[in-house]
Amino acid sequence: MLYAAVEVTWASAGTTVPWKEHASYAPAVQLLLAALALLAGGACLASTRTLARPGRAAVATALIVTLPVFVVGTNGLPIYFVTLVTLSGIESATGLAQVLLNTAGAVLLLLVGLSYRRRLRGDCPRCGRPHAGPSDGPFVHPTVSLAPKRTRRVVYLLMCGVLPWAGVKTIWTLGGDALGVSAGAWQRTTSLGASGPSKAAASVGIDVTVLAAMVGGFLLLGLLHAWGQVFPHWTLILSGRRVPRLLPLTPAWLTGIPLAMYGAVLIVMAPLMAVGVLPEIKPSAPFTTSSGVTWMVEFGGLAFAGLGIGLVVAARSYAARTHPVCAVATATNRSD
């Protein structure tokens, strides 16, 4: 209802809400989003009731239809995250609010859908295991474990997609030329409107977006290794304590899915532009050739898709390895 109220207010007032650079939501689209939000809210309320087969099918259909809409709306979340972390400023407050609303909607709908699916299967809506007794008792957490070797290899391979993109940017920040772009032109362009931390990082040869990718790599390692489940010794007072599951999973899911979608689009766009199926992007500073822009689009796609898919794969493994169950369920299994 809150989401719908915000969308209707923006549509009525003619508020500009950007969904990508130089493009904004049309009022008709905002009203459609408001209607879908109300449909999703009704499905969530109905999911708590005992329904006949047609009712269950209607609830499931509503959740399946509306969830992707909110997920797609989270696409700009990583970009806003980088600008906030680097203190670069927010281009649009309404754009950020829209992304956060979509993110909250996607997370809540996903949780409702998961709980609803478990109830339909006769499982505990909280832990997902079939058991008798209450579903609000204490949890039993599994032992600390490392991600399977196959999962680690896949994630490491996906992370290699970051190397061309990060390598080119590092060459520029270190004073070299690449893709027809000189270091001076790159530094002049990126310094316009850059924050103090961004300039400080660039002065020692570190591009701030590459630094953000390194943070994503650190999160990936935590999802794969044991120190992502129990705080290691270098965390001082937290050492030895169990890491809350949502602490790494929330940023992994929220950034991984939008990055994967955005990167996949760029990976497809670049070769289509190269062969003329899509029009080439006209070069703008600091780029001097369309081919340079095309290569950078492809490198960016490999980096974003690699990091995004890697986060999703690692988060899925982490969620499965750390999934707690109700103590009642473990007691039932032992008695069986």
Side-chain angles (χ1 to χ4, degrees):
M1 291 180 66
L2 174 62
Y3 185 100
V6 171
E7 297 298 330
V8 170
T9 301
W10 282 342
S12 302
T15 304
T16 300
V17 183
W19 64 276
K20 70 173 185 177
E21 189 176 6
H22 308 306
S24 303
Y25 286 92
V29 175
Q30 292 174 311
L31 294 177
L32 176 60
L33 290 174
L36 289 175
L38 293 177
L39 174 63
C44 291
L45 291 174
S47 69
T48 63
R49 300 176 179 271
T50 302
L51 302 172
R53 186 172 182 178
R56 295 197 299 269
V59 170
T61 301
L63 293 175
I64 292 172
V65 169
T66 55
L67 178 58
V69 175
F70 289 98
V71 171
V72 171
T74 67
N75 193 42
L77 186 63
I79 299 175
Y80 281 109
F81 174 76
V82 172
T83 57
L84 289 173
V85 170
T86 59
L87 304 178
S88 300
I90 301 173
E91 293 186 4
S92 171
T94 55
L96 175 59
Q98 178 76 353
V99 169
L100 292 178
L101 285 171
N102 282 318
T103 301
V107 171
L108 293 174
L109 277 178
L110 182 62
L111 293 175
V112 170
L114 179 62
S115 177
Y116 185 59
R117 180 173 178 268
R118 288 173 175 175
R119 288 199 298 272
L120 290 180
R121 296 173 56 182
D123 298 334
C124 172
R126 186 167 174 238
C127 73
R129 297 286 181 85
H131 64 78
S135 60
D136 56 354
F139 269 143
V140 174
H141 295 270
T143 57
V144 175
S145 62
L146 185 69
K149 183 179 294 186
R150 182 178 179 180
T151 300
R152 283 180 280 144
R153 287 177 177 175
V154 169
V155 173
Y156 294 151
L157 180 62
L158 289 168
M159 279 299 297
C160 291
V162 179
L163 296 179
W165 170 81
V168 169
K169 287 204 164 187
T170 302
I171 290 173
W172 288 331
T173 53
L174 290 176
D177 301 341
L179 301 181
V181 177
S182 66
W186 171 257
Q187 292 168 3
R188 285 193 299 272
T189 303
T190 55
S191 64
L192 296 175
S195 63
S198 299
K199 293 180 180 179
S203 65
V204 294
I206 301 176
D207 183 83
V208 69
T209 56
V210 175
L211 186 61
M214 293 172 63
V215 174
F218 177 80
L219 175 58
L220 270 173
L221 293 177
L223 292 168
L224 296 175
H225 295 275
W227 55 267
Q229 299 172 49
V230 176
F231 286 106
H233 63 87
W234 44 264
T235 56
L236 302 179
I237 60 175
L238 296 176
S239 177
R241 298 186 179 184
R242 184 178 57 83
V243 176
R245 292 179 77 233
L246 292 181
L247 183 61
L249 283 177
T250 299
W253 289 121
L254 292 183
T255 59
I257 294 175
L259 277 177
M261 293 189 299
Y262 183 55
V265 171
L266 296 183
I267 289 175
V268 175
M269 279 180 55
L272 292 179
M273 290 190 297
V275 299
V277 176
L278 293 178
E280 293 183 342
I281 300 177
K282 294 182 180 180
S284 59
F287 291 94
T288 57
T289 63
S290 295
S291 62
V293 178
T294 302
W295 276 111
M296 200 58 190
V297 169
E298 183 66 19
F299 289 165
L302 291 172
F304 301 147
L307 182 58
I309 298 174
L311 283 170
V312 172
V313 172
R316 184 175 181 274
S317 173
Y318 183 91
R321 296 183 347 260
T322 61
H323 182 67
V325 297
C326 295
V328 178
T330 59
T332 302
N333 293 335
R334 289 171 185 170
S335 62
D336 292 341

